[in-house]
Amino acid sequence: MSWPEGHQSADEVRSANNSVEPSSFPDDAGADYFIREYRTAVNPARRDLLENKPPLLILATSAESPESHTHRVLEALRWALGPEHKRVPHTVLYAEGDVPLLTVQAGAGLGFDIPRRSTPDRFPHFWLMADVVAQIQERRPGGGGLGARKLRDHVYRQRAERGGLPGLLWHMGGTDTAPIGGVRGFFVGLVWHSLTRTLPRWIWARRQNRRLVRSKRSGWLGKHLNATAGGAPVFELLDQVGARQSPRLSLEPSHPRHKEGLAALELLLLRALLEDLRKPAVGRLLPKRRRRVARPVLLVEIPPEGAPGADAAERFLRAFHTLQAGLDGPGPLVIAVGHPSGSLQADLGVERTNLRRASSLLHSSNPRPVVVPLEDEPFERPGLQIPPVQPRKFTMGWRAVTAVELAALTTVLVGGALAPAFWETPPDTRCVGGDRPAAAGSQTERVEVRPTKWYQDALARIDRQNGEAEKYAKDRAVRTVVLFESAPPTSADDTIFDGSIPELRGVGMWQQRLIEDAASDSSRVPLRVEVRQAGAGFHGAVRAVRDLIQQVEQEDSGEEYERIVGVLGFAQSTKETQEAVKELGRIGMPVVGTTATADEMQQSDSYWPFTPANSTEAGIEAAFAAHSPLVAKQGQTDPHAPVECVPAGHAVIVRTPDDLYSESLADKFQQAFKGGETVISFRQDSQPFVSQAGTQKATTADQLVGQVCQALKAEPDTAVFWTARAKDFTAFIRAMDTNGTCIENDLTVLGGNELTNVALTGQFADKDWLRLYHSAHRLPEEDHRASAKTKEFVRQYNGQYPQDPWRQDGHSAVSYDAFHVLSRAVDNAGSTVRRESVLTALRNNITFDGATGFISFSEFSSGPPKRKTLVILRQSDGEPTAVVACGAYSQKAAKEKHQGAPCVD
């Protein structure tokens, strides 16, 4: 396991995107002084003041104070360092159970979104130690040591994966495939791999040993491990660390020896990070040395003693205190906020003081930690906003300045590199997303689902929360939104083809959040949710909408909180939902969609679809299929060799006639795909249909299998692009498995979000010949690119619904964010909260960081959010892996002008 450069810390994006309404610092005694000195400590007027070593500062909230007090202080401090993007390198460390070592968050967060044209801290020591620590945490006692050589090889491979010269050389060495015979095989194995892998790895290891252990000036690792200059090489020392700590880490987390092992790793990792943060020399000739104009900042949340994450936060602070006194450089400014335990304060030997005294200490070189107790009363009053710091900006990057001096050398090197064709890199044949099939290694049975109970439980939760919202109607506006869902599932088979349950759960989660916020924020409008059935597959959508319109026209009767101000839902693109949206547009009803994606759904300027349109999705998927190695090569005889893949040169497009979603996506993919195609119209019901000219026709799954197999035989590099519904896909896969006539070389299928529901319930867990890719609308929780808000939502969802088979599905996150959009518009609609004012608010560019990524609507049209998140997942080993991520899946990604193929900019 490793963390690639640019990885975001667990709450980097969560805090970075709350810039619209900044939190205020509590107006406690001395707050004015503290705000002023905090800004100058981070961004001093004279650069030589950066040489000071500020103390560890702890702002302690009272034991009875709510968690919101801690978050308010952290956000106020963070906002001053960059309301929209970082002006100062910083990160906020939230102690989370899945990241026991907060230094992991610190290094990843400081490397994310660095201030433009500032010193490019690459953290070479941190990333090396992070890879080592991850390997130590994965080891098991009793299995023998990993060995210094294997540890070195593993860490170097991780370094190569992060790019740069090691990565370039590694990939020039080719892929790890079956041995090549003859003279070419001898050359590749003995000479080429030696030049591109073995020799660079040996040189790199020698350099690490000299830099980290043998150097008297900078050999910090040798000093940290009490190793002499002539002692063991670096990876032998690190392997010894692993041998000592692995048995401790295998104990229960509550065991003192387990905590001792974590503390040792925290010290090692933090020492590496602090070495990377040593301030470069001020001035001199090299432009890079003049770029550090502000001090890095680490903000740490301290949960109450015994709460989740408290041990991790206090372990980090103890490690920092231990290392700070012996640190050669000034180091970062570390401010912790929350509830420090008595044992932590005793271990640190803290000095208790007030804000005014603490503000003066920020400019001193006093390593003794300071605790400032914060009273509860100021949190009940308006606070003081900390103005953003204004560090010096540079018109040109240091690389541009240096480039002139290196132009002659660069020309020579580039000319020499382009001369011989010997340096050409062979095409990459590694299967995108891995070479494992859709079958899970340990999961061979379907996931148990309980459709009736889960559906009714979701409705009951919304009904219960409706009652809580109505209680606010005594002294403020309360309104109602209508959620249109398909008919409730009656069987497990119905459930796996329908996203209504996770969608209802997502709506219920946002309604709960809204009601909780309303308790302390009078600007929030509590909302009731009326769930209305629109028939199986939304076939009754038009009739349901006309009933709603009739009710709205008579809304003068009844309670005011029953007044309907918006509509949510329509999760499928059908001709019925298309007409329903048009009907609602005629009365100016604000409508926010969920997972309906057809461009043709845009029938009204009062309809805001939430997911990317089919035209966007088709363009991304067509480019992905044509340029990414996803189809297994035929003729591979060694069953133990890694599977090799090639891009799809041909596509079999399976569509359903008279289905708006299917026809729309199929047509747009066919237009965007540059290879050959075969189009098959497939529908199993008894209704007659006429296929378009130039397309084939199938009315049974067996017939479709025969046609697909014929295409595969004619064009082995064929992928199936599936736009028909998930129920038809399941029938096709079962028929393909039963016939078994063309599965010996695997079948590659690329489809839309329609396939997500069924894939995640284990329907294909035993199909070891299926290579399945499908789109989704949020990144998986474990993906390093996922924003902090995405991870936060997934953790909450998993905590509330631990048995949900759709944990990695995007339906719940989409409905959660879509309801957020509608509720934000209602909040901004003014005191009367009328539909007309809600429409106006929707047109005023609603922006926030959500569960599906960064949300920003256009001010000029009612289309989907700008650059809305779209990912392509590879279903493998029971858990999906994101092989493509496009759009604004984080605030940083939202600012990228070009994301490169296959993303559509």
Side-chain angles (χ1 to χ4, degrees):
M1 176 182 179
S2 66
W3 299 271
E5 293 183 16
H7 176 75
Q8 302 175 29
S9 64
D11 274 87
E12 185 65 17
V13 179
R14 178 196 307 169
S15 57
N17 290 334
N18 292 331
S19 59
V20 177
E21 299 177 0
S23 294
S24 58
F25 193 87
D27 191 9
D28 206 341
D32 288 316
Y33 295 94
F34 179 80
I35 289 173
R36 182 184 64 200
E37 301 307 324
Y38 167 68
R39 298 178 72 246
T40 55
V42 172
N43 178 36
R46 300 198 330 264
R47 293 191 59 207
D48 59 332
L49 294 178
L50 289 172
E51 299 285 356
N52 295 337
K53 186 182 298 184
L56 167 62
L57 177 62
I58 301 177
L59 303 179
T61 54
S62 68
E64 298 78 22
S65 64
E67 186 181 5
S68 60
H69 286 188
T70 298
H71 290 168
R72 174 178 168 181
V73 176
L74 285 171
E75 173 55 20
L77 295 172
R78 187 218 59 78
W79 194 86
L81 307 179
E84 296 179 356
H85 55 81
K86 289 183 181 178
R87 301 183 180 188
V88 171
H90 72 273
T91 190
V92 184
L93 307 183
Y94 292 90
E96 297 170 335
D98 57 344
V99 184
L101 304 179
L102 285 194
T103 308
V104 174
Q105 285 188 23
L110 288 174
F112 161 74
D113 189 26
I114 63 172
R116 191 180 183 189
R117 302 192 183 101
S118 65
T119 301
D121 290 318
R122 295 180 295 112
F123 306 121
H125 299 97
F126 168 79
W127 290 116
L128 187 148
M129 290 304 142
D131 292 332
V132 171
V133 167
Q135 193 67 15
I136 292 173
Q137 290 179 299
E138 292 176 3
R139 292 173 61 173
R140 294 293 180 267
L146 182 65
R149 183 181 296 274
K150 289 185 177 179
L151 180 62
R152 179 205 65 182
D153 293 350
H154 170 79
V155 174
Y156 181 77
R157 179 62 184 269
Q158 300 305 312
R159 171 62 188 90
E161 291 296 330
R162 288 194 289 272
L165 182 59
L168 175 63
L169 291 173
W170 184 275
H171 291 296
M172 285 174 62
T175 57
D176 299 324
T177 57
I180 304 173
V183 176
R184 182 168 175 262
F186 173 82
F187 175 80
V188 171
L190 182 62
V191 180
W192 186 239
H193 279 180
S194 297
L195 292 174
T196 59
R197 295 188 177 181
T198 307
L199 181 61
R201 182 174 57 201
W202 180 80
I203 295 174
W204 175 83
R206 293 269 297 180
R207 182 168 179 263
Q208 304 309 314
N209 192 53
R210 183 177 64 254
R211 182 177 63 168
L212 300 178
V213 178
R214 298 185 182 277
S215 172
K216 294 182 180 180
R217 183 176 62 88
S218 60
W220 65 267
L221 183 61
K223 299 173 186 177
H224 184 80
L225 299 178
N226 294 321
T228 62
V234 57
F235 287 103
E236 286 189 19
L237 292 174
L238 293 172
D239 190 58
Q240 293 170 14
V241 173
R244 289 194 302 270
Q245 304 306 333
S246 290
R248 297 171 179 171
L249 297 176
S250 67
L251 301 173
E252 292 294 326
S254 59
H255 197 284
R257 302 292 286 173
H258 178 92
K259 296 180 179 180
E260 184 179 333
L262 287 177
L265 297 184
E266 189 90 71
L267 271 173
L268 178 64
L269 196 53
L270 184 57
R271 176 64 184 270
L273 179 62
L274 293 177
E275 289 293 330
D276 287 328
L277 290 176
R278 292 174 59 181
K279 185 181 71 66
V282 176
R284 300 189 183 180
L285 297 177
L286 296 179
K288 182 178 178 181
R289 292 186 172 183
R290 302 194 297 266
R291 299 287 152 156
R292 178 62 61 79
V293 296
R295 189 188 309 276
V297 180
L298 297 175
L299 304 174
V300 186
E301 177 195 35
I302 310 179
E305 185 175 9
D311 285 345
E314 296 195 356
R315 179 166 50 246
F316 175 84
L317 296 176
R318 286 187 175 95
F320 181 78
H321 174 61
T322 301
L323 297 172
Q324 187 183 34
L327 191 65
D328 271 343
L333 172 61
V334 178
I335 300 180
V337 184
H339 309 274
S341 66
S343 61
L344 175 66
Q345 297 185 53
D347 292 345
L348 301 186
V350 298
E351 173 188 345
R352 298 179 69 85
T353 185
N354 54 39
L355 279 177
R356 183 165 185 170
R357 169 63 178 159
S359 63
S360 63
L361 293 176
L362 289 177
H363 297 286
S364 67
S365 291
N366 175 19
R368 186 177 180 182
V370 177
V371 169
V372 178
L374 299 179
E375 300 295 332
D376 284 340
E377 191 273 336
F379 286 90
E380 300 173 2
R381 297 183 277 106
L384 304 175
Q385 182 180 331
I386 305 179
V389 297
Q390 301 289 341
R392 177 187 172 187
K393 296 181 180 180
F394 297 89
T395 57
M396 294 180 64
W398 67 272
R399 291 182 178 86
V401 176
T402 309
V404 177
E405 303 173 9
L406 300 177
L409 178 61
T410 302
T411 302
V412 173
L413 293 177
V414 171
L418 294 178
F422 177 75
W423 297 99
E424 293 182 1
T425 304
D428 191 356
T429 59
R430 294 173 298 176
C431 303
V432 61
D435 60 1
R436 301 295 300 277
S442 59
Q443 178 187 339
T444 57
E445 298 179 357
R446 301 182 191 177
V447 178
E448 180 184 359
V449 294
R450 305 172 65 185
T452 303
K453 182 180 186 306
W454 290 351
Y455 193 92
Q456 293 302 324
D457 287 348
L459 291 182
R461 173 180 182 170
I462 291 174
D463 288 341
R464 183 172 60 255
Q465 291 172 173
N466 284 344
E468 296 175 8
E470 291 168 8
K471 296 177 182 178
Y472 287 93
K474 299 177 182 177
D475 55 6
R476 72 169 75 176
V478 176
R479 295 294 184 267
T480 296
V481 299
V482 172
L483 171 65
F484 282 108
E485 285 290 350
S486 60
T490 57
S491 68
D493 286 340
D494 289 339
T495 303
I496 63 175
F497 305 129
D498 193 306
S500 58
I501 291 176
E503 184 164 289
L504 282 169
R505 287 173 168 176
V507 168
M509 287 177 64
W510 178 256
Q511 186 186 27
Q512 178 185 359
R513 171 70 180 269
L514 178 62
I515 294 172
E516 290 175 351
D517 288 351
S520 58
D521 188 346
S522 59
S523 67
R524 307 306 298 271
V525 178
L527 294 175
R528 300 170 66 253
V529 179
E530 286 189 12
V531 181
R532 301 199 179 193
Q533 311 301 335
F538 289 93
H539 291 309
V542 176
R543 182 177 63 255
V545 161
R546 287 173 179 169
D547 290 343
L548 172 64
I549 293 174
Q550 184 178 4
Q551 176 185 340
V552 168
E553 291 173 346
Q554 303 172 355
E555 67 179 7
D556 290 339
S557 60
E559 299 289 346
E560 188 175 1
Y561 60 68
E562 294 177 343
R563 181 172 298 172
I564 297 169
V565 293
V567 167
L568 190 68
F570 299 122
Q572 294 183 20
S573 302
T574 67
K575 293 182 178 180
E576 289 82 6
T577 55
Q578 181 188 38
E579 181 61 28
V581 167
K582 187 184 297 184
E583 293 269 351
L584 290 170
R586 292 193 182 104
I587 66 167
M589 176 65 73
V591 182
V592 178
T594 51
T595 52
T597 58
D599 298 66
E600 294 78 4
M601 286 290 292
Q602 191 69 56
Q603 295 291 315
S604 163
D605 59 3
S606 68
Y607 171 66
W608 272 260
F610 190 76
T611 45
N614 280 350
S615 54
T616 300
E617 179 176 339
I620 293 172
E621 291 176 326
F624 170 71
H627 301 290
S628 302
L630 72 164
V631 179
K633 289 177 63 176
Q634 292 193 7
Q636 301 178 76
T637 57
D638 186 356
H640 303 292
V643 177
E644 294 185 356
C645 290
V646 296
H650 191 90
V652 174
I653 304 172
V654 181
R655 57 186 290 166
T656 300
D658 301 322
D659 184 308
L660 182 64
Y661 161 79
S662 180
E663 290 183 330
S664 171
L665 187 59
D667 287 343
K668 292 170 176 59
F669 180 88
Q670 187 176 3
Q671 295 168 9
F673 186 64
K674 302 305 181 184
E677 78 270 349
T678 299
V679 182
I680 303 176
S681 295
F682 174 52
R683 194 167 71 189
Q684 298 185 80
D685 56 37
S686 58
Q687 297 182 12
F689 66 93
V690 178
S691 60
Q692 294 181 346
T695 67
Q696 301 180 26
K697 179 178 179 181
T699 56
T700 67
D702 287 335
Q703 185 180 3
L704 177 62
V705 166
Q707 294 167 328
V708 170
C709 287
Q710 183 178 3
L712 287 171
K713 184 177 180 180
E715 302 286 348
D717 60 350
T718 293
V720 174
F721 184 70
W722 191 273
T723 71
R725 296 294 177 178
K727 189 172 184 178
D728 294 327
F729 181 68
T730 303
F732 165 69
I733 293 300
R734 289 175 178 171
M736 178 72 79
D737 192 54
T738 301
N739 292 343
T741 55
C742 61
I743 61 175
E744 63 276 3
N745 290 310
D746 294 351
L747 174 70
T748 298
V749 177
L750 172 62
N753 187 60
E754 175 76 9
L755 301 184
T756 306
N757 298 336
V758 63
L760 295 177
T761 56
Q763 290 290 304
F764 315 127
D766 58 345
K767 306 300 185 289
D768 58 1
W769 46 266
L770 175 62
R771 307 177 58 78
L772 178 60
Y773 300 86
H774 54 87
S775 66
H777 298 120
R778 74 159 174 81
L779 281 164
E781 177 187 20
E782 300 302 324
D783 194 288
H784 71 273
R785 294 163 294 188
S787 72
K789 279 293 184 184
T790 296
K791 295 180 179 180
E792 177 188 17
F793 169 81
V794 177
R795 285 194 298 271
Q796 292 176 358
Y797 189 87
N798 295 348
Q800 296 180 27
Y801 304 106
Q803 303 302 318
D804 194 322
W806 306 287
R807 291 180 301 106
Q808 299 290 10
D809 180 25
H811 280 81
S812 56
V814 167
S815 63
Y816 181 88
D817 280 350
F819 195 7
H820 186 173
V821 170
L822 188 54
S823 71
R824 177 71 70 86
V826 174
D827 291 341
N828 297 339
S831 58
T832 58
V833 196
R834 303 179 62 85
R835 287 188 295 276
E836 297 80 2
S837 53
V838 173
L839 274 177
T840 301
L842 282 171
R843 296 188 179 107
N844 285 339
N845 189 22
I846 291 178
T847 301
F848 62 87
D849 187 26
T852 58
F854 190 72
I855 311 301
S856 179
F857 282 88
S858 171
E859 299 181 42
F860 307 105
S861 67
S862 58
K866 294 179 288 187
R867 304 187 73 178
K868 184 68 186 67
T869 301
L870 183 80
V871 300
I872 297 178
L873 302 179
R874 167 75 193 279
Q875 193 67 27
S876 176
D877 285 344
E879 291 291 339
T881 301
V883 296
V884 171
C886 296
Y889 49 83
S890 68
Q891 189 177 27
K892 179 183 178 181
K895 296 177 181 178
E896 294 176 352
K897 294 183 178 179
H898 304 288
Q899 293 183 325
C903 299
V904 179
D905 295 320

